[in-house]
C-alpha cells in the first residue's frame, strides 16, 4: 500500500541550532526524506542559524556530511544535490543583535515561516523576542520548540510565558516526538475508527492497562543532561503521559487540534496523586563481564553518588467515570532486556465460567506494539483442539502492520518527518499545548519532590533485565504481573 504524498506549500524554515546534534540526526534527515518523496516544493528554503561563523558553502558541506551519515541511501544522488541547493546559513547571536539583519534579508517572500528552536530552552525567550522585534512575523508564522520543556511546573510556566509574550498559542508547536510515531496515531485510529473496542473501553470491562517503554540503550553521551532529569522527567512527564492520554481520553468530537488536546488535558487533570508505595525507581548496574563497554548508570553519568533514576514504574489512577477502579501501570527504563514500547489493555475475566474451574481463568488482552514490529495482537480464548473435554487455551490474533499492509507500510516516515510537515501545514493536533505541558508537570512535581524530601535512592537493577525487583512487587501486590518485554 503506497501512501499518497500531498506537497506542502512553499516555506522558509529557520533551524536555530542548525549545527547541533538534533539538526544533524533528525531535522535535516527528515527534511531530505520529505524532499525526496516530493512533499517539499523545490522553491522551499531551509536556513541553518547558529553562532559559528560559516559561509553558505561550508554549511552545505556540513549538511551533506550529516546526511551521508544519517540518510546514506541518498549519498551522491541528484536529489541530495537538489536539496542542498535549498540550504542556506546565517551566523546569528541569539542574545545580541549580530546576524539578525542578515536573517531578515533571507525572507524576500511573504509565505509560510517556520522557526525551529533546536537550542537550549534558556534561549527560547530571546529568540522569540528577536523574531518579533525584527519584523519576521507574518500571518503564517510557526515557532517549533523541543523538549525538555521545563524541568518542573515553575520553569514550564516561565517558558510558556516567554513564548506567549510574542506569539499566540496557535503559532507555537511543542514537539513530543512520540506523537509523531505512526502507531501512536494508530491508537486513535484503533479506538475511534472501530465500533469493536470503544464500548468495552472502560472500567466495567478493562481490568487494568500497562504502558511499557523499554529501551536497551543507556544514557550514552547525554549523561550530564540525563542525571539532572531522570526517567520521570525525561520519559514519563511527556512520552508516557501522552500515551496514557491517548488511551484514556474520551472520544473528541473531531480530529482537530483543540478538540483532541482538550480531551487529553482532561485526562491529565483527572490523574490522582501517586502514593510513594505505588512507585518503583531503579538505576542500572554495570555488566560485570564487560564494565568498560557497559558501565553502570553512575559511571556513565560520572556521578558516583547519583540518586537519579534510569527506570521508573508506577501505578496511576484516572479519576473519572470511565476509569474509576482501573489502574494504569506505567514503566520505562534504560538498559532493559529489549527495546519495546507496548500498551497492553488487559480485559476482565468472563463474569462466570460455564466450563467450570478446571478450564482455568482466561481474559482477553489487546496489545498495541508501538515499536519495533508495529502491530496489534488480540488474545482470545478458544477450545484446545482435540478430544478430551473442554479445555481452553488463549491464542493470539496477530497483526503486524508491515505484513498486513504490504512492504511499503514498513517504510513509515520517521516521527520528525510527519511532525515537521504538520508544522508547515499548520496542523497542531500532534503537538502539546501549553496547558497540557503545565498539567503534566503539576502531576509529576509532587512525585519528584517526595523522592527528594524522603532522600530516596533508586534500587539497582541488572543491565538486560526487566527492571528492579520493586517494580514486580508493585504490581504483584495487586495480584497482577507485568507483561513480558518482548522485542
Ligand atoms: C527521548 C529521551 O525523548 O526519547 C531519550 O530523551 C529516549 O532518553 C528517547 O532514549 C526514546 O525515543 P525513541 O523514539 O527511541 O523511543
Amino acid at each position: 500500500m503506497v501512501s499518497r504524498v500531498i506537497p506542502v506549500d512553499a516555506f522558509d524554515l529557520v533551524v536555530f541550532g542548525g549545527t547541533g546534534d538534533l539538526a544533524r540526526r533528525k531535522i535535516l534527515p527528515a527534511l531530505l526524506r520529505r524532499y525526496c518523496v516530493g512533499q517539499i516544493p523545490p522553491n522551499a528554503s531551509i536556513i541553518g542559524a547558529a553562532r559559528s561563523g560559516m559561509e553558505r558553502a561550508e554549511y552545505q558541506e556540513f549538511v551533506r556530511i550529516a546526511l551521508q551519515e544519517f540518510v546514506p541511501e541518498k549519498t551522491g544522488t541528484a536529489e541530495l544535490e537538489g536539496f542542498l541547493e535549498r540550504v542556506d546559513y546565517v551566523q546569528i547571536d541569539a542574545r545580541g543583535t549580530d546576524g539578525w539583519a542578515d536573517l531578515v534579508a533571507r525572507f524576500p517572500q511573504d509565505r509560510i515561516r517556520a522557526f525551529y528552536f533546536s537550542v537550549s530552552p534558556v534561549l527560547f525567550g530571546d529568540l522569540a523576542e528577536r523574531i518579533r522585534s525584527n519584523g519576521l512575523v507574518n500571518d503564517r508564522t510557526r515557532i517549533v520548540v523541543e523538549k525538555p520543556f521545563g524541568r518542573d511546573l515553575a520553569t514550564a510556566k516561565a517558558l510558556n510565558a516567554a513564548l506567549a509574550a510574542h506569539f499566540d498559542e496557535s503559532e507555537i508547536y511543542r514537539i513530543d516526538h512520540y506523537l509523531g510515531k505512526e502507531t501512536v496515531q494508530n491508537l486513535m485510529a484503533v479506538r475511534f475508527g472501530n465500533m469493536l473496542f470503544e464500548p468495552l473501553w472502560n472500567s466495567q470491562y478493562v481490568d487494568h492497562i500497562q504502558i511499557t517503554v523499554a529501551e536497551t540503550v543507556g544514557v550514552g553521551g547525554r549523561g550530564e543532561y540525563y542525571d539532572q532529569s531522570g526517567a520521570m522527567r525525561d520519559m514519563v512527564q511527556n512520552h508516557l503521559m501522552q500515551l496514557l492520554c491517548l488511551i484514556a481520553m474520551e472520544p473528541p468530537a473531531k480530529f482537530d487540534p483543540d478538540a483532541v488536546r482538550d480531551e487529553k488535558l482532561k485526562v491529565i487533570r483527572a490523574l490522582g496523586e501517586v502514593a510513594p508505595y505505588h512507585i518503583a525507581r531503579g538505576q542500572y548496574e554495570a555488566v560485570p563481564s564487560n564494565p568498560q563497554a557497559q558501565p553502570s548508570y553512575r559511571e556513565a553519568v560520572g556521578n558516583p553518588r547519583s540518586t537519579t533514576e534510569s527506570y521508573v514504574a508506577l501505578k496511576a489512577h484516572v479519576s473519572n467515570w470511565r476509569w474509576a477502579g482501573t489502574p494504569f501501570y506505567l514503566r520505562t527504563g534504560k538498559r532493559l532486556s529489549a527495546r519495546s514500547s507496548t500498551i497492553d489493555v488487559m480485559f476482565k475475566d468472563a463474569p462466570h465460567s460455564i466450563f467450570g474451574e478446571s478450564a482455568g481463568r482466561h481474559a482477553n488482552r489487546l496489545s498495541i506494539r508501538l515499536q519495533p514490529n508495529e502491530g496489534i495482537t488480540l488474545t482470545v480464548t478458544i477450545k484446545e483442539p482435540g478430544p478430551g473435554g473442554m479445555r481452553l487455551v488463549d491464542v493470539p490474533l496477530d497483526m503486524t502492520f508491515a505484513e498486513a499492509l504490504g512492504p511499503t507500510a514498513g517504510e513509515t516516515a520517521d516521527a520528525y518527518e510527519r511532525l515537521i510537515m504538520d508544522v508547515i501545514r499548520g496542523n497542531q493536533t500532534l503537538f502539546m499545548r501549553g496547558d497540557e505541558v503545565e498539567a503534566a508537570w503539576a502531576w509529576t512535581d509532587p512525585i519528584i519532590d517526595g523522592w527528594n524530601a524522603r532522600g530516596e535512592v533508586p534500587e539497582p537493577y541488572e543491565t538486560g533485565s526487566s527492571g528492579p525487583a520493586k517494580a514486580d512487587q508493585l504490581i504483584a501486590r495487586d495480584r497482577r504481573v507485568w507483561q513480558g518485554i518482548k522485542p
Side-chain angles (χ1 to χ4, degrees), residues 282-351:
Q283 227 183 33
Y284 62 81
E285 293 180 307
V287 173
S289 58
N290 195 1
Q292 241 70 43
Q294 297 193 292
S296 70
Y297 172 82
R298 289 180 173 187
E299 283 153 352
V301 300
N303 179 2
R305 288 165 184 270
S306 172
T307 56
T308 302
E309 75 288 349
S310 59
Y311 176 103
V312 65
L314 59 87
K315 176 180 172 184
H317 284 283
V318 180
S319 304
N320 61 18
W321 272 55
R322 185 189 282 263
W323 294 118
T326 295
F328 288 74
Y329 298 93
L330 275 52
R331 65 179 163 163
T332 182
K334 296 202 180 285
R335 285 264 193 257
L336 297 177
S337 56
R339 175 172 187 253
S340 166
S341 300
T342 308
I343 298 175
D344 293 291
V345 181
M346 313 294 292
F347 289 92
K348 290 187 173 171
D349 292 350

Side-chain angles (χ1 to χ4, degrees), residues 147 177-178 181 215 222 225 234-235 239 334 339 371:
K147 75 176 259 273
H177 79 279
Y178 265 58
K181 288 183 190 275
E215 297 186 277
R222 301 159 70 225
Y225 150 77
D234 185 53
M235 297 292 287
H239 306 325
K334 296 202 180 285
R339 175 172 187 253
Q371 62 184 24

Side-chain angles (χ1 to χ4, degrees), residues 85-410:
E85 277 299 301
R86 314 306 332 138
V87 171
D88 202 347
Y89 183 76
V90 173
Q91 180 184 7
I92 208 149
D93 180 359
R95 292 191 142 150
T97 51
D98 291 353
W100 286 93
D102 290 346
L103 187 61
V104 172
R106 307 293 155 94
F107 291 90
Q109 297 177 55
D110 186 19
R111 56 186 192 175
I112 296 168
R113 295 178 177 179
F115 298 92
Y116 201 127
F117 292 8
S118 177
V119 293
S120 161
V122 296
L123 296 177
F124 287 2
D126 292 308
L127 287 174
E129 190 276 317
R130 282 163 179 73
I131 290 167
R132 172 68 67 186
S133 63
N134 281 285
L136 283 168
V137 179
N138 66 6
D139 60 358
R140 283 175 295 166
T141 298
R142 295 88 158 97
I143 299 297
V144 187
V145 294
E146 276 286 340
K147 75 176 259 273
F149 198 83
R151 53 174 285 107
D152 53 22
L153 179 58
T155 48
K157 275 187 170 170
L159 285 177
N160 274 336
L163 293 175
H166 306 285
F167 293 96
D168 187 71
E169 182 63 35
S170 62
E171 296 170 313
I172 302 170
Y173 293 70
R174 294 177 195 77
I175 288 199
D176 180 317
H177 79 279
Y178 265 58
L179 289 177
K181 288 183 190 275
E182 182 75 15
T183 326
V184 174
Q185 290 161 71
N186 236 327
L187 288 178
M188 283 184 276
V190 167
R191 281 195 61 194
F192 306 129
N194 295 286
M195 189 55 199
L196 194 59
F197 301 116
E198 201 49 28
L200 307 178
W201 213 259
N202 56 55
S203 60
Q204 196 181 343
Y205 298 102
V206 177
D207 178 71
H208 72 281
I209 291 179
Q210 300 186 13
I211 301 179
T212 301
V213 178
E215 297 186 277
T216 50
V217 293
V219 294
R222 301 159 70 225
E224 202 180 322
Y225 150 77
Y226 194 92
D227 205 37
Q228 297 297 315
S229 304
M232 193 72 186
R233 290 190 174 98
D234 185 53
M235 297 292 287
V236 177
Q237 186 272 346
N238 38 77
H239 306 325
L240 275 86
M241 182 75 85
Q242 290 295 324
L243 299 180
L244 170 63
C245 286
L246 297 178
I247 279 289
M249 72 186 187
E250 295 301 314
K254 49 189 170 175
F255 190 59
D256 106 345
D258 278 329
V260 171
R261 297 186 300 177
D262 285 347
E263 294 306 336
K264 288 198 295 167
L265 179 63
K266 285 185 211 161
V267 174
I268 305 175
R269 289 193 172 149
L271 280 172
E273 206 177 301
V274 184
Y277 55 92
H278 284 158
I279 310 179
R281 295 164 79 214
Q283 227 183 33
Y284 62 81
E285 293 180 307
V287 173
S289 58
N290 195 1
Q292 241 70 43
Q294 297 193 292
S296 70
Y297 172 82
R298 289 180 173 187
E299 283 153 352
V301 300
N303 179 2
R305 288 165 184 270
S306 172
T307 56
T308 302
E309 75 288 349
S310 59
Y311 176 103
V312 65
L314 59 87
K315 176 180 172 184
H317 284 283
V318 180
S319 304
N320 61 18
W321 272 55
R322 185 189 282 263
W323 294 118
T326 295
F328 288 74
Y329 298 93
L330 275 52
R331 65 179 163 163
T332 182
K334 296 202 180 285
R335 285 264 193 257
L336 297 177
S337 56
R339 175 172 187 253
S340 166
S341 300
T342 308
I343 298 175
D344 293 291
V345 181
M346 313 294 292
F347 289 92
K348 290 187 173 171
D349 292 350
H352 165 71
S353 171
I354 64 167
F355 307 110
E357 284 304 306
S358 60
R361 295 179 61 178
H362 299 269
N364 301 114
R365 181 179 85 224
L366 178 69
S367 297
I368 305 165
R369 293 187 300 279
L370 305 176
Q371 62 184 24
N373 195 20
E374 292 86 347
I376 291 181
T377 302
L378 179 64
T379 306
V380 292
T381 302
I382 59 165
K383 178 189 169 298
E384 195 180 293
M390 195 63 164
R391 284 193 301 269
L392 302 185
V393 63
D394 294 336
V395 291
L397 283 176
D398 192 23
M399 179 173 67
T400 298
F401 294 143
E403 278 169 23
L405 304 175
T408 51

